[in-house]
Amino acid sequence: MIVDSAVYRAGTRVPLDVETADLAAMRARCGAGEFVWVGMHAPTSDELEEVAAAFDLHPLAVEDAVSAHQRPKLERYDETLFLVLKTLWYVDAEDAVETGEICLFVGPDFVISVRHGEGGALRQARVDLEARQAVLAHGPSAVVYAVCDQVVDGYEQVAAALVEDVDEVELSVFSEDRTNDSPRIYVLKRELSEMRRAVHPLRDPLGRFANGTVHGIDRDAAPYFRDVTDHLSRTSETVDELDGLLSTAFDAHLARISLQQNEDMRKISAGAALIVVPTLIAGVYGMNFDHMPELHWQFGYLWALLLMVGTSAGLLWFFKKSGWL
């Protein structure tokens, strides 16, 4: 479905006397320096085919925009650029990074934005851009900048949420409590991989925009793209750092489990020794022999009890001193 469509001239939205759904008429009304921005959300194949017919979009790019399972990329079809971006948002209760997709068709006199998924709504980006006439005056390049800026800002928000969760994992791993952190560490590493698949491939297109080497993107807009590229690089570094921290936390978690198991075995062994030694003495004195030390002694029974208590006390002192108990 078409969410919004408008014609812009010199950084200002132009009122028209044609239906906004009549895209061919809107494009025909565009003069020099004007362009159309059409925003679509989860369009069907038929809806996108109508837009493709009005703006002469390449069928391969249209097919990619409909399928909505593309990696971030920048391609050129004649005079039209096709840019794919992954949108991200974070569900903290589930430690889950949810993904969507935005496809941009960029021509000399039009921008078609096709959005899939719940996140990454471009309404606010359009409103903010319309309030910045100097930026919007760069034409279709300004729309590309605004969309990329919003998407990368979303990446930074997700990265900030992941930083908090990784900090929680580190505190849990190194706490005195016995915790099972392996499942959460795995989930967070999986979500970081999802984020990496969105962030890393986008560095090349944004870098080319920032260098002003892409035909169809205004070279004067390069400083804006450099700002977005800087934010993207910072987010990429954060993702790599968090992945390394989680790997270290997982190794530390395994080491703590091994250490706890060793401590448990020492305690079990010490406890068993405290039982085995008195049992051995009782077993010896319980054998049916006449010629045994102190067997017919008046205090033999007391002697056996004191021997069991004394050996147990000696073992307990030894285990306490050695740290086994």
Side-chain angles (χ1 to χ4, degrees):
M1 59 177 289
I2 295 178
V3 178
D4 195 2
S5 58
V7 174
Y8 297 90
R9 178 195 307 129
T12 305
R13 186 164 181 153
V14 179
L16 297 174
D17 56 357
V18 299
E19 293 291 334
T20 56
D22 189 354
L23 300 179
M26 289 181 66
R27 188 183 188 190
R29 295 294 181 91
C30 287
E34 299 179 348
F35 72 96
V36 182
W37 180 6
V38 179
M40 308 184 72
H41 178 232
T44 64
S45 297
D46 293 338
E47 290 172 337
L48 198 53
E49 286 294 341
E50 293 180 7
V51 176
F55 292 93
D56 301 320
L57 304 181
H58 197 280
L60 290 177
V62 172
E63 181 181 349
D64 287 346
V66 172
S67 63
H69 291 290
Q70 308 298 316
R71 68 191 299 272
K73 62 181 180 178
L74 175 65
E75 295 180 343
R76 173 177 296 281
Y77 296 93
D78 299 325
E79 292 300 312
T80 301
L81 294 174
F82 179 61
L83 176 65
V84 178
L85 306 101
K86 303 292 286 189
T87 58
L88 302 177
W89 66 97
Y90 195 60
V91 182
D92 189 56
E94 303 175 4
D95 289 341
V97 176
E98 300 293 338
T99 63
E101 190 170 303
I102 296 177
C103 301
L104 294 179
F105 298 88
V106 185
D109 60 346
F110 67 87
V111 177
I112 313 297
S113 58
V114 181
R115 182 171 63 89
H116 296 273
E118 297 300 323
L122 298 178
R123 174 61 184 169
Q124 191 59 46
R126 187 188 288 264
V127 172
D128 293 342
L129 190 59
E130 289 176 354
R132 303 171 66 185
Q133 184 177 359
V135 179
L136 188 53
H138 289 286
S141 302
V143 178
V144 178
Y145 156 71
V147 174
C148 291
D149 186 51
Q150 177 174 303
V151 169
V152 173
D153 284 345
Y155 293 169
E156 289 188 302
Q157 294 173 7
V158 173
L162 285 170
V163 167
E164 293 181 2
D165 285 348
V166 172
D167 288 342
E168 291 176 2
V169 168
E170 287 184 310
L171 290 175
S172 178
V173 166
F174 293 103
S175 68
E176 296 298 327
D177 300 330
R178 293 199 174 192
T179 56
N180 183 19
D181 298 303
S182 299
R184 191 178 187 192
I185 291 175
Y186 171 77
V187 168
L188 289 175
K189 285 185 71 69
R190 184 186 62 193
E191 301 311 318
L192 282 172
S193 296
E194 187 72 40
M195 190 173 182
R196 186 183 291 107
R197 285 194 290 270
V199 173
H200 286 193
L202 190 57
R203 291 181 297 184
D204 178 63
L206 282 182
R208 293 166 61 188
F209 292 158
N211 293 330
T213 58
V214 178
H215 177 67
I217 299 297
D218 189 357
R219 293 180 62 90
D220 292 336
Y224 297 100
F225 286 106
R226 283 198 291 270
D227 180 66
V228 179
T229 302
D230 178 65
H231 292 180
L232 184 69
S233 298
R234 190 165 58 219
T235 303
S236 177
E237 292 171 358
T238 300
V239 171
D240 292 338
E241 290 172 0
L242 291 178
D243 188 65
L245 286 174
L246 283 175
S247 296
T248 303
F250 183 70
D251 293 339
H253 177 62
L254 293 181
R256 282 183 61 85
I257 290 176
S258 177
L259 181 62
Q260 289 168 355
Q261 289 176 340
N262 290 337
E263 291 177 352
D264 292 342
M265 289 303 299
R266 287 202 302 267
K267 292 178 180 179
I268 293 172
S269 301
L274 293 175
I275 300 299
V276 168
V277 173
T279 303
L280 175 62
I281 296 173
V284 170
Y285 276 88
M287 290 189 295
N288 297 319
F289 292 101
D290 287 333
H291 302 288
M292 292 182 64
E294 319 302 342
L295 185 60
H296 299 289
W297 184 34
Q298 181 180 0
F299 300 104
Y301 181 68
L302 180 60
W303 161 254
L305 292 178
L306 291 175
L307 186 60
M308 286 187 265
V309 172
T311 54
S312 297
L315 287 173
L316 182 61
W317 174 82
F318 174 76
F319 292 143
K320 287 283 187 179
K321 184 177 179 181
S322 60
W324 281 40
L325 288 175

